Amino acid sequence: MTDQFPAGLRVVVTGGGTGIGRTTALTFARLGAASVIITGRRAERLAEAAALHPAIVPVRADVATEEGAEAVAAAAGEHGGAVDVLVHNAGIHHIAPLGEIDLKAARDLFDVNVLGTVVLTDRLLPLLRSPGGNIVFVTSPAGHNPTPTVSMYAASKAAVNSLTRTWALELAPRGIRVNAVAPGWVRTEVYESSGMTTEQVDGLFEQAAKGVPLGATGVPDDVTLWITRLVEPSSSWVTGQIITMDGGADLVRARQV
Ligand SMILES: NC(=O)c1ccc[n+]([C@@H]2O[C@H](COP(=O)([O-])OP(=O)(O)OC[C@H]3O[C@@H](n4cnc5c(N)ncnc54)[C@H](OP(=O)(O)O)[C@@H]3O)[C@@H](O)[C@H]2O)c1
């Protein structure tokens, strides 16, 4: 981290009540953000995150709805009326091989992981600092790797990768940068939320660590630091990039293909 991180930023982090989003919100707040609006559906998780720092502003909002986007815009209006950084982090997971895909779950997944980012970006665009604003997506290596049993999740993240690159071009004339981070295995609630038991997740992570060249799965801070790095002024010539942090697991997959 350089010592040049701009103070007073107005930040929005979707899914900021837990996991990578919570750590991201706290990091921006500690770096001197004026406000960090966090969204999610569970008020108690948002309240826990907001209790960590006075700059964190909880907004209960479903990211997949226009009402949710409206609530975020209203909160942004009350906290400076501008947005410097929008982190599209909210996401859900769905494990099912072809033949067992639940269509409703698949639709929900695309609503949250893809269309929710469209609705919110559209609504906040007039407030996004121009020039100088930043959008950062939290995507996944599944977006660029074939990933059996999670094809819908992988397809949603492939769509997010496309949005990253396409919006980077669309928004470059306004001086707004769009990038993404693609973390590998990070132990958060996302796995239990998709229906796995804690024992299953323990087993999954034990197995996953064995396939990571650096020998370990990640923690939310491994991801958050890259989100803030992409936003800081020293990255001002970087846009449309998807940065993978996964202990080298992507390299092993590439070698196997
Ligand atoms: N953990 C990993 O290994 C990993 C790897 C690659 C990518 N990612 C990505 O990282 C991002 C963060 O996930 P995480 O691992 O930190 O898991 P997490 O703790 O489960 O975070 C997901 C967040 O999204 C929120 N969310 C879900 N549906 C929402 C909706 N409809 N409206 C508003 N908020 C919603 C959840 O809050 P509520 O349930 O309260 O709404 C939750 O706070 C996701 O995009 C995920 O795909 C994670």
Side-chain angles (χ1 to χ4, degrees):
M1 185 71 51
T2 71
D3 54 5
Q4 298 168 347
F5 203 85
L9 292 183
R10 306 281 177 186
V11 181
V12 173
V13 181
T14 66
T18 64
I20 295 166
R22 180 185 286 200
T23 312
T24 301
L26 186 57
T27 303
F28 274 114
R30 286 178 174 157
L31 284 168
S35 61
V36 186
I37 294 169
I38 57 168
T39 72
R41 295 159 302 174
R42 289 169 295 169
E44 69 283 7
R45 306 315 304 274
L46 294 171
E48 283 166 21
L52 298 173
H53 198 286
I56 300 179
V57 180
V59 176
R60 198 166 172 207
D62 187 330
V63 82
T65 65
E66 286 167 79
E67 296 75 29
E70 208 52 58
V72 178
E78 287 164 18
H79 289 85
V83 175
D84 297 285
V85 182
L86 170 56
V87 182
H88 287 302
N89 163 78
I92 53 177
H93 204 254
H94 176 54
I95 303 173
L98 193 58
E100 294 175 24
I101 292 169
D102 177 272
L103 209 51
K104 171 160 184 334
R107 286 200 170 109
D108 285 348
L109 193 139
F110 274 84
D111 277 348
V112 173
N113 294 8
V114 184
L115 295 174
T117 73
V118 179
V119 172
L120 186 59
T121 308
D122 261 349
R123 183 61 189 86
L124 295 187
L125 201 49
L127 305 181
L128 254 180
R129 185 150 330 266
S130 170
N134 274 278
I135 297 173
V136 182
F137 285 95
V138 181
T139 180
S140 162
H144 61 262
N145 284 319
T147 313
T149 78
V150 290
S151 59
M152 292 298 96
Y153 176 77
S156 77
K157 293 301 189 182
V160 164
N161 293 354
S162 179
L163 293 180
T164 303
R165 294 151 68 90
T166 305
W167 288 354
L169 276 184
E170 282 189 26
L171 297 179
R174 300 189 195 203
I176 296 171
R177 299 188 293 112
V178 186
N179 291 290
V181 293
W185 300 98
V186 178
R187 185 70 189 260
T188 65
E189 294 176 16
V190 79
Y191 297 97
E192 271 99 348
S193 302
S194 74
M196 296 176 77
T197 64
T198 300
E199 292 67 35
Q200 284 172 325
V201 183
D202 287 344
L204 183 68
F205 269 72
E206 205 174 300
Q207 206 49 41
K210 291 180 187 155
V212 175
L214 288 178
T217 54
V219 295
D221 265 334
D222 292 323
V223 186
T224 297
L225 291 175
W226 282 98
I227 295 174
T228 54
R229 273 173 197 156
L230 283 167
V231 166
E232 61 179 34
S234 58
S235 298
S236 64
W237 210 39
V238 177
T239 197
Q241 300 307 303
I242 299 160
I243 315 274
T244 297
M245 62 287 307
D246 66 350
D250 225 17
L251 303 172
V252 178
R253 281 175 181 252
R255 216 184 52 171
Q256 284 167 346
V257 173

